[in-house]
Amino acid sequence: MAWVGQALRAGQNIEILDCVGQSYGYLRNQMSAPPEYFPLATTPHSLHLDQKTYRMILGKESSILGYPGEVSLPLAADHHNVCKFLDTQDYNYKCVKSVLQTLTSKILKENTSKPAPAASGDMSKVGLLLSVSGAPTEDLMNLHKLRATGTCESLLTATQLKEWLFNDSRSGIVWMHARPGSGKSVKASFLVDHLKGAGRLCHYYFFKYQDSTKRSLNSLLRYLAYQLAQDVCSTRDILGRMADEGLRFEKTDGLSIWHTLFEPILPKMSSQKPIYWVIDALDESDSPKAVIESLSGIPYNTPIRVIIISRSIPTISMAFDRAATRTVINVLCIDDNADDIRKYAESEMELMHGALEFRHRVTSQIVERAEGNFLWAHLALQEIMQSHSEEDCWRALEEVPSGMEPLYQRMENSIARLSKPIDRTLARLLLIWATYSRRPPSVEELLQALNPKYPTILDLPYTITQICGQFVTVDSNQRVSLIHKTAREYLMQASKLPFSFTPQESHEELFERSISVFFDTKIQENLSRKMLPPLYLYAATSWAYHLSYIPPELDNPLDLLIKFFSGPHVLAWIEALAISNQLQVPVSTSRSLSSYIRRRRKLDAIKAPMQCRVTGLKLLELWPIDLLKLVGKFGGRLLQDSTAIYKFIPQLSPRNSGLNQQFGSSPLSGISVTGVSSADWDDLLSRISIGRAEKALMITCSGRFVAVLTSTGVIMLFNVLTFGQIRTFSHLEYCFKMCFNSSGDRLATYGLRTIKVWDTTTGRLLISAPNPPNARAMDICFAENDTVLLMLTDVRVAWLFDMRVAAGRWQNLHAEIFEPENRIEGAFTNSPTSLSFNNDSTQIVVGYRGSPVEIWDFAPLKFTHRCRRRHRKSNQAKRNWTGTVRTQWHPNSGEVLGIYTDGIVFKWHPHTESYTELSGECNSAPSEIQSSPDGLVFATSDVKGVVKLYNHDDFTLIYQLSSEDTVTSLCFSPDSRRFYDIRGSYCNIWEPNALMRLSDVDERDLETESDAGSSTNVSQYASEAWVDSSSPITTLAASPQGLLICAGNDDGTVFVRDTTHDKKLEIATSSYDMSIELVAWSDNGKYLAYLDLSGKLVVRAVAAQVEKQLEARWVQRTVMDVRIRLDKGGAQQLFFNPDSTLCLVANRQHAQVWSLLSRSICAEYRPSSEPDTCDIWVNHPSEPKNLLAFRNSTIAEHSWADFTKSSEWKIDTTFMAAGRVNVAPQEEEESENRPGLRRKQSRSGPKSNEMILIQVEVSFLRELFILSFAQPGSSGNGHSKLFMIPLSSLSPHSPSIVDRVITLPQDVSEAIERPLNIMGRDRLVFIDESFWVCTYHIDIDGISSNNSAVGRRSGADSETLDDEEKGMRKLSIATTVVERRRSGIPSSRLVRHFFLPQDWVNADVLRLCQVTVDGRFLCPRKGEIAVIKSGLGSDW
């Protein structure tokens, strides 16, 4: 009560008290708690107020809320002693106790009858899918505050509304319309409250003209879907599975969301109780026609009741007329609201201390003059309530003009009468922000936006009421906006304000204020704390929106853009977007920036050359593509580490990009990259290697996985985010088809003899059953909530496999062959060329070479339509049909896409008979066609390797990808932003700019009005790209000093790269272009050996001679040129002995030692037939005359001269079966929770204890051996176990069992994708599963250094490091210490140095990546070797 007294004294806080009271009333109504009122007056002493102030706080009329079915309860008390009871027999005590008992029992009863609430985990996944965190309760609460007690109840008596409320037998739409300002939104909130109060399921949405994020069909459907998932378990499960697939709908166009989400879900809700959708302010939507078209498609028997409230405008009226042919539309005019206005006026006039008769006369006058306009009544009452006498009240009422436009003119005049120039200027800024901002700014954002011009505004909401002429309001959520949409229309079109208020100038000012946020010198300080000030998020997401409205002839915006993109400000903007998880913004910014540059270029074309800003525009033109590629190639990295935009991304970007040109040599750079000649961005996101021995046949994908089917019946499963191989499935026979279920956790593969269903998450085989005899699958899909499989075969028979049956088998659904009764003369139907289900498996399209395309209903099987070709050449006019080679259903519209036998692409709608052909092109006959999941584009591919993307609506070519390699399979990603193709032994993932831009175009783009001059078209011309045809590197080796790199490629070329002078020398070319398999340097760096696929071994002496010009000239001669023969396959190892006189060539079963002097074999070794004798050979670090042979469980020492075994040690491998041993206690604790690393999934299902040795590395200091073990048949580069053995354990005096094994914490070990080497004595270098290059400090205390000088950089060498490398060392150490502190890892343990871009990495590349002794990282890249310098080589 003391707080109430303080609020009343403040005077201006009355509105806050009112807001609290309204919120309390709303929540109390949800609980059905009866209101209590106190007939006794509260004494002034009890409130400590002056005697002249309030005595009765609330009367009965004000205490009663007026909700339906409300029961009031009087208590014999005042507000001071209401909670004080004499004893348990007190009347007040009994009343309150009775109410609490009744309320509690009601709540308990309701909770037992209600379904269990949605699990928060499930709804969090749904929220991630839809980018929604809850129902739009903010809007509902704001409107609830505006509603007076007792108003809107007359709505419930309308016949149309009664039928809508109580007729549960069918769906339908009620359209309620009224004039502007008549309280439509308040009535919508009343309906929501009424339905929820009655215990009905009600979902709602309020379109908002002033908020661009709440004007689209996309936003409406996402919020409705979220609320539907909260109340309907089946919907929640479906959306949860979609979220698991990785789908995201924030930027998907509204119609695609309707087709993808609602059309499959709504028909399955026929048994649910009615659900009511209340949709308000349709006239404020960007696309009312699309909204009506979608909602009118709700199936008749679906329990969805829709009510739409809007103004009656021709566009909406015509859309409802068309919708009436598809569903029941009831129209209800709600203009008659005089009674509600009277109740509202009476409730307001109660606060005036005048006579009752006087208040009644004023109320009657307001009702009469309002003419049904609530907004006018509200504004008039605001004027009247400021009066101090009856005469002032009548004078104020007379001065308020009738009608909204005269009233707006009067409000406008009040602004013109502001006497202080500073008030006018402030009023202008406030009106600009309220009228033209992308969304309503908060009070905090607006205060920061007004600073520094107005740094000390004491009370901004109060200031707004005083100087903005009632045009601007602050809602209960402290959002600032205009009072009504009609006010915005008036201010933008008819106002005569005393200052400039044009859209162009206003957007220019908002653009300038938004983009200048990133010129603030304190921005880095704010970003480093990951706490963005209020205005930052609005500025980051909105400056490009305002740019789209600015005329191109203005120079100031161009100057700001040049300043923004030429300095570090753009990087700060990108970091802010990454911190706030708004990385979709650069995509829309790219489009706005491209449009602005295009309009400016067009304007400059008619100017004199000296007047053109050529240099500035050239700088800006670098960035639209950069912004698109930044999201596609580095978006995930930025979400992991927002500072990567400074340290890594500019250096890893192409040479001609704006990022690299401006920031590639920044002092903040954590790395430097050399050796990559590609200058421009490409569209390749990643490339997956299938293996040379495999031929890929088919590719398909879900939201989580990419599956590739090979000719040997092996299915390779890859992660859709990292594109790392997860596991393989072996069907053990040739397969025809495969498909994922809706959630991607099941994969069905159909082979020659069997059908198999796999669990993709565990790798387990779930079902294996025989196929029908002589049946080859042409289409297979999951149906009935993924419980059955449907199949169509080449003999035109449909089959069903019920997976719910324990011993399931195929059931013949339609034994009859697809044969229509009226067969066309001259047509013949043999085996179809294509046969497929539509998305919901209700229809089938059949294509033949000798007959037209046919459509059949599936259940029951019935012929329905036949495609007749419209456009024929004159010499073929006798036939109105053509056979097809491929057909494809459109995912949403019911159309069929196809390719005729003459190569012409067509689309045809069976029901409307609409038909379109794509003009044929010379020498181009597509063989495959595929539609994107969102239905916006489709792709074709031909035998020449050309992939073309077309806009589905108008058949416009938007993208072409050319290659010399034939495409064997093609598919789109579920979000339609990428497409995958199979070429040779590679699966390519492409992310063209055209798809990214197209996926970002939705109803929201309609915000940009015609006067902005921007276009929402993706492009006027098709973009074209070419597949890189450079021969991939197959092997590489660094010289002992790490300065020279030798590599061989698939075309048989061997070359040396000089990293010091960045030069390349071609050493040799293999005969018949045979692939180079192995290369090796001698320890002294004088000899280079290479081995090609044919077995030709060549050793060359290579040296550099320095001439007078101080440039090195390479001299080489052949030392040995022989051909080798090894048992059981080709060579897997090639290296020299320490004195460079011998060379070893070996595989796991056979080894040969060749003498460079005699050029012949001087020793040969074949292990015994024991299962453990599969050798990996290395030089003995301390015995130059000996070799070490590592096997699965033993290590043997052999002589270089004749392979004589001198010693053998057994490896204690018990730890591989038991888990982990010999782990330091602190490492055990760290492994419990190490956020810096992400564990990878098991690659091969259930694990066995059997392990095989796959890799051995010797540390640079030659003190440790790194051994990697894996399970037999495991896929990918990863290992299952990694441990280290010290050299001291292999001395002649050591025990015969190696028990000194250094292991790693489990989470570190599981995160390692490929171990590389050990820097210094104790820094393990590895690539983790996210392709970060990391080091981890291993504990080797007590291990002595046998050869500490070998491989260690001397102090003198360290001092000669250039400034660049020293700087990168310091930055790397500093940033990784910060990263470790964030993750809770001790600063002496894990360091993440830099990451590899996804388009650089595949299985072959990972196998070849190396680190040199001086810390340079080597990575093959498009036939070249990228050299990355970082702090990796620092002395620790």
Side-chain angles (χ1 to χ4, degrees), residues 1283-1300:
F1283 64 92
M1284 284 146 283
I1285 296 176
L1287 174 61
S1288 57
S1289 297
L1290 304 183
S1291 67
H1293 306 292
S1294 300
S1296 58
I1297 297 179
V1298 178
D1299 56 359
R1300 299 187 63 193

Side-chain angles (χ1 to χ4, degrees), residues 861-1131:
L861 190 67
K862 178 184 177 182
F863 171 77
T864 60
H865 299 87
R866 180 180 288 121
C867 179
R868 299 184 182 275
R869 191 170 185 181
R870 308 294 192 274
H871 306 289
R872 300 297 303 153
K873 297 179 182 179
S874 58
N875 60 346
Q876 295 177 331
K878 294 182 179 179
R879 288 197 326 189
N880 61 355
W881 60 269
T882 305
T884 56
V885 294
R886 289 290 182 272
T887 55
Q888 166 83 33
W889 284 100
H890 187 273
N892 306 321
S893 67
E895 292 175 300
V896 172
L897 292 164
I899 305 172
Y900 286 126
T901 52
D902 58 9
I904 300 298
V905 176
F906 70 94
K907 69 175 178 180
W908 164 60
H909 200 298
H911 300 286
T912 65
E913 290 296 333
S914 61
Y915 180 89
T916 307
E917 278 191 7
L918 181 65
S919 301
E921 300 179 20
C922 297
N923 303 319
S924 176
S927 55
E928 295 290 339
I929 190 168
Q930 192 73 237
S931 183
S932 64
D934 61 11
L936 297 179
V937 300
F938 66 90
T940 65
S941 64
D942 59 31
V943 294
K944 295 182 179 180
V946 178
V947 176
K948 296 180 180 180
L949 302 183
Y950 294 90
N951 186 302
H952 175 83
D953 290 336
D954 56 14
F955 269 33
T956 304
L957 179 66
I958 61 174
Y959 179 76
Q960 177 171 315
L961 177 68
S962 302
S963 172
E964 297 177 357
D965 300 320
T966 301
V967 178
T968 56
S969 184
L970 182 72
C971 76
F972 283 89
S973 64
D975 62 3
S976 302
R977 291 188 174 216
R978 304 170 183 170
F979 70 88
Y980 305 78
D981 67 28
I982 296 290
R983 299 171 188 264
S985 60
Y986 290 97
C987 165
N988 303 291
I989 299 94
W990 305 97
E991 193 169 63
N993 301 335
L995 284 183
M996 293 193 68
R997 285 194 177 115
L998 194 64
S999 65
D1000 187 61
V1001 176
D1002 60 15
E1003 302 88 5
R1004 201 175 303 173
D1005 295 311
L1006 298 176
E1007 305 161 13
T1008 308
E1009 299 168 354
S1010 58
D1011 58 356
S1014 65
S1015 171
T1016 58
N1017 293 331
V1018 175
S1019 177
Q1020 297 180 7
Y1021 307 99
S1023 56
E1024 188 169 3
W1026 287 265
V1027 178
D1028 177 69
S1029 58
S1030 57
S1031 180
I1033 289 177
T1034 53
T1035 180
L1036 67 84
S1039 65
Q1041 294 74 29
L1043 301 179
L1044 301 178
I1045 306 164
C1046 179
N1049 63 23
D1050 201 43
D1051 287 343
T1053 302
V1054 181
F1055 63 89
V1056 171
R1057 168 94 190 286
D1058 182 353
T1059 60
T1060 304
H1061 302 93
D1062 197 16
K1063 290 189 176 181
K1064 176 180 173 181
L1065 169 70
E1066 185 174 311
I1067 297 295
T1069 301
S1070 172
S1071 303
Y1072 307 107
D1073 296 332
M1074 301 295 285
S1075 170
I1076 304 299
E1077 299 297 293
L1078 297 167
V1079 294
W1081 287 95
S1082 63
D1083 282 3
N1084 58 16
K1086 294 181 179 180
Y1087 296 104
L1088 177 63
Y1090 66 88
L1091 179 71
D1092 67 17
L1093 186 61
S1094 67
K1096 183 178 181 180
L1097 172 64
V1098 178
V1099 178
R1100 293 200 175 192
V1102 180
Q1105 293 183 352
V1106 180
E1107 299 181 344
K1108 294 181 180 180
Q1109 295 81 6
L1110 299 180
E1111 290 189 3
R1113 183 174 66 87
W1114 291 91
V1115 177
Q1116 56 175 311
R1117 62 182 177 85
T1118 301
V1119 176
M1120 183 172 70
D1121 187 342
V1122 297
R1123 194 168 297 278
I1124 66 165
R1125 296 284 187 273
L1126 292 178
D1127 300 341
K1128 299 185 179 180

Side-chain angles (χ1 to χ4, degrees), residues 829-849:
T829 55
N830 49 10
S831 179
T833 56
S834 56
L835 194 63
S836 61
F837 291 103
N838 64 352
N839 266 9
D840 58 3
S841 305
T842 58
Q843 289 187 306
I844 301 169
V845 60
V846 190
Y848 303 93
R849 286 190 175 274

Side-chain angles (χ1 to χ4, degrees), residues 1125-1141:
R1125 296 284 187 273
L1126 292 178
D1127 300 341
K1128 299 185 179 180
Q1132 297 171 337
Q1133 286 189 271
L1134 173 66
F1135 60 89
F1136 292 89
N1137 70 336
D1139 63 5
S1140 306
T1141 59

Side-chain angles (χ1 to χ4, degrees), residues 434-453:
T435 306
Y436 294 106
S437 59
R438 187 179 65 89
R439 59 163 174 78
S442 67
V443 170
E444 288 185 346
E445 288 174 332
L446 205 48
L447 282 170
Q448 190 176 349
L450 296 173
N451 191 28
K453 289 184 178 180

